[in-house]
């Protein structure tokens, strides 16, 4: 696997300044939660910095580029192309940096979540929701809960994301519903 320094440089050279700052902020939260919840700090740091590596691929090229890299997209993802960067990012991190399967899994599901999220998956999902620059009150609350209870904070972030989609009358990825049901069973 590539060193943190190498990954950091590639991400920095790939993303805009704004998105790179977001990535750094997500990384900081990932490290914090990994320490709190006894997760591998290096893995958390790497998935944090790299999670949005595919985010700035232009809309018109997202499907084509992802498929070229061997990403298998479902119909829903082809229609909601903002989701593609998660799975595509995971494949890029595997091929380019040699990220392990559990790290790629966290990146794959940082947007939609899924049933059976691992600790690392939850940490990245939560960190993305409550990084320091997010200004909405729910993100602050998620962070506060996150300092006490990872599962509760993850479920809170997931619920808020779903609520937002409902309020906006946007379609929901079935993986998010599965994730929600899974946490309440
Ligand atoms: Fe993302
Ligand atoms: Fe992100």
């Amino acid at each position: 696997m590539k060193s943190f320094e190498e990954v950091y440089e590639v991400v920095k050279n790939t993303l805009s300044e704004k998105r790179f700052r977001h990535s750094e902020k997500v990384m900081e939260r990932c490290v914090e939660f990994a320490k709190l919840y006894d997760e591998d700090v290096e893995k958390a740091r790497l998935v944090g910095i790299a999670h949005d590596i595919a985010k700035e691929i232009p809309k018109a090229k997202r499907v084509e580029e992802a498929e070229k890299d061997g990403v298998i997209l479902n119909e829903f993802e082809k229609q909601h192309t903002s989701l593609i960067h998660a799975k595509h990012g995971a494949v890029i991190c595997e091929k380019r940096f040699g990220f392990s399967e559990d790290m790629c899994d966290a990146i794959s599901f940082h947007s939609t979540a899924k049933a059976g999220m691992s600790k690392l998956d939850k940490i990245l999902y939560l960190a993305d929701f409550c990084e320091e620059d997010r200004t909405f009150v729910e993100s602050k609350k998620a962070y506060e809960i996150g300092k006490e209870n990872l599962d509760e904070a993850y479920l809170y972030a997931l619920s808020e994301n779903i609520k937002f989609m409902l309020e906006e009358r946007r379609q929901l990825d079935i993986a998010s519903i599965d994730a929600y049901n899974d946490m309440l069973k």
Side-chain angles (χ1 to χ4, degrees), residues 45-62:
R45 194 192 312 277
L46 284 161
V47 298
I49 198 69
H51 78 286
D52 272 341
I53 191 163
K55 182 96 179 185
E56 290 178 346
I57 295 171
K59 194 172 163 67
K61 288 186 165 179
R62 284 174 193 160

Side-chain angles (χ1 to χ4, degrees), residues 19 22-23 26 48 51-52 55 85 110 128-129 131 134:
R19 179 110 32 217
H22 161 71
S23 304
V26 172
H51 78 286
D52 272 341
K55 182 96 179 185
H85 80 282
H110 83 265
D128 197 22
F129 187 82
E131 56 99 332
R134 302 255 194 237

Side-chain angles (χ1 to χ4, degrees), residues 112-117 154 158 162 172-185:
T112 59
K114 64 167 178 174
M117 293 274 274
Y154 157 68
L158 176 66
I162 291 173
L172 282 160
D173 192 310
I174 202 77
S176 304
I177 311 281
D178 283 343
Y180 179 76
N181 287 343
D182 180 53
M183 288 303 287
L184 295 180
K185 75 175 182 227

Side-chain angles (χ1 to χ4, degrees), residues 80-99:
H80 300 79
T81 61
S82 64
L83 295 173
I84 292 174
H85 80 282
K87 280 189 190 170
H88 194 185
V91 169
I92 291 170
C93 287
E94 188 203 347
K95 287 187 177 167
R96 248 182 119 168
F97 307 141
F99 278 17

Side-chain angles (χ1 to χ4, degrees), residues 122-139:
K122 289 172 185 168
I123 285 174
L124 179 59
Y125 186 93
L126 175 62
D128 197 22
F129 187 82
C130 73
E131 56 99 332
E132 196 186 354
D133 287 350
R134 302 255 194 237
T135 50
F136 48 97
V137 288
E138 293 82 3
S139 99

